[in-house]
Amino acid sequence: MSATSGGMDDRSRAFRRRFFPEASASDWCDWRWQLKHRLRDRETLARVFALTSDEEDTLRRLGNRIPVSLTPYYASRLFPDPAGHPLRPTVIPQSAEFTVSPGEYTDPLGEDSHNPVPGIVHTYPDKVLFLVTDFCATYCRYCMRSRLVGQGTFLPDPAMWEGAFGYIRNHPEVRDVLISGGDPLILADDRLEYLLKRLKEIPHVEFIRIGTKVPMVLPQRITPALARMVKKYHPLFMSVHVIHPDELSSESIRACERLADAGVPLGGQMVLLKGVNDQPTVMKELVLAQLRARMKPYYLHQCDAIAG
């Protein structure tokens, strides 16, 4: 069971039996199985969801826009009402994505203009953003880096990482490194540990943060082995991307607790989304659900004007 986080809730169990009857409970709890069986195109999505004509047409027209991908686990979060679930438009594309309104930009935060070496964004004097991969287990349709993710533009590349380490070493004012992407927790344990170890060897790096949505979309990835490994690299913080109370299942809560037990402070990064969490009752439950999962509500992102 080393590759699992153990256990399923009722929604996962019912979803597995209905749509993946060939998969065992052990398969479902294996994060690599989850990645291998992601829903990534019209055919696999149609097997699970009754696609609307707009969704069908959008999937045919998608081209080189941010790809579609959601794990079987995350797809199960949309049941038993997949047609009306507020998370649906966050993972299944709609034609509105092709409409670019005035004031929307592909890079509204100006990251590309603060990119001194591949993989590094240096906007604030004492902190850098270190983009280590462009891969995510599940792609959010509103992604702030939709210009980059899933495009193969920055694959996990040790040569690129070396250039980033060199830049950080040569800038002693940098004390805070945020590892992001894509999603860093998609990396295998040894590759993630390599990153943490090399950053810890730089004397002026005091804090390391990891930005991730994995505990919400792929909680099986938070294994005991991963928790033991990250525990060695404190002070280490994680910002967990969470947008709706239904994401905080017993499986996701178990993943968060495992990280908290390893001494990792968790901060919730919420994005304010129309029809998803913009009602006070929903936002209140989202905040309370994070606290129950030992995660401190941290950011509420509003109106990064992403094109589409």
Side-chain angles (χ1 to χ4, degrees):
M1 296 290 285
S2 61
T4 74
S5 68
M8 290 183 285
D9 68 7
D10 290 342
R11 201 181 302 186
S12 288
R13 192 173 294 108
F15 186 89
R16 175 181 64 87
R17 288 172 176 168
R18 179 176 174 183
F19 296 109
F20 293 91
E22 72 286 357
S24 66
S26 180
D27 288 334
W28 181 270
C29 294
D30 188 318
W31 66 279
R32 294 179 179 86
W33 182 92
Q34 289 280 337
L35 287 179
K36 183 178 179 181
H37 292 85
R38 288 171 294 146
L39 312 181
R40 301 179 58 193
D41 52 33
R42 188 183 64 80
E43 290 73 22
T44 53
L45 286 168
R47 177 185 168 200
V48 172
F49 301 101
L51 297 174
T52 66
S53 58
D54 181 82
E55 291 167 341
E56 290 261 10
D57 182 59
T58 304
L59 287 163
R60 281 190 289 266
R61 296 170 56 201
L62 208 55
N64 63 355
R65 292 185 61 80
I66 182 173
V68 175
S69 173
L70 62 159
T71 59
Y73 164 80
Y74 198 62
S76 75
R77 297 302 93 199
L78 278 63
F79 281 74
D81 179 28
H85 200 287
L87 287 173
R88 182 180 179 119
T90 72
V91 288
I92 300 179
Q94 300 178 343
S95 60
E97 289 188 22
F98 299 116
T99 301
V100 179
S101 302
E104 293 181 353
Y105 304 93
T106 56
D107 181 22
L109 299 184
E111 291 182 342
D112 291 345
S113 62
H114 296 88
N115 182 213
V117 297
I120 290 290
V121 177
H122 194 176
T123 305
Y124 303 101
D126 66 345
K127 61 188 69 176
V128 296
L129 173 66
F130 186 3
L131 302 176
V132 298
T133 178
D134 73 348
F135 181 78
C136 294
T138 292
Y139 291 110
C140 307
R141 304 314 304 170
Y142 53 88
C143 180
M144 63 175 289
R145 295 199 183 99
S146 57
R147 71 193 187 281
L148 298 175
V149 298
Q151 304 297 328
T153 51
F154 55 108
L155 300 173
D157 180 1
M160 182 192 78
W161 293 352
E162 287 303 318
F165 295 140
Y167 180 86
I168 296 169
R169 272 195 306 270
N170 291 330
H171 287 77
E173 72 274 19
V174 173
R175 69 176 75 224
D176 179 3
V177 178
L178 170 59
I179 304 174
S180 187
D183 200 312
L185 292 190
I186 290 301
L187 299 175
D189 287 5
D190 59 340
R191 304 196 85 179
L192 183 59
E193 182 164 23
Y194 175 79
L195 288 169
L196 296 174
K197 184 173 185 294
R198 290 296 302 276
L199 290 172
K200 280 293 185 182
E201 290 171 349
I202 301 174
H204 53 87
V205 172
E206 299 178 15
F207 315 110
I208 300 174
R209 293 178 288 149
I210 294 175
T212 181
K213 194 172 174 66
V214 156
M216 300 298 112
V217 300
L218 187 64
Q220 299 83 5
R221 173 67 186 98
I222 311 302
T223 63
L226 176 67
R228 287 193 299 270
M229 185 272 286
V230 299
K231 189 175 183 178
K232 296 186 291 183
Y233 295 97
H234 289 314
L236 176 68
F237 303 81
M238 287 195 191
S239 296
V240 181
H241 179 188
V242 51
I243 58 171
H244 192 273
D246 277 1
E247 292 184 315
L248 284 148
S249 68
S250 61
E251 291 159 87
S252 288
I253 291 171
R254 187 181 306 115
C256 291
E257 290 176 337
R258 183 164 284 159
L259 291 168
D261 286 345
V264 179
L266 304 176
Q269 286 198 155
M270 300 168 283
V271 178
L272 187 63
L273 296 167
K274 182 178 180 180
V276 178
N277 57 20
D278 61 339
Q279 296 299 312
T281 53
V282 177
M283 185 57 69
K284 178 181 178 181
E285 178 53 31
L286 175 58
V287 167
L288 293 174
Q290 289 174 75
L291 292 170
R292 287 192 291 269
R294 297 164 63 186
M295 182 193 310
K296 182 179 180 179
Y298 181 43
Y299 279 141
L300 176 59
H301 294 284
Q302 181 179 2
C303 293
D304 280 348
I306 305 300

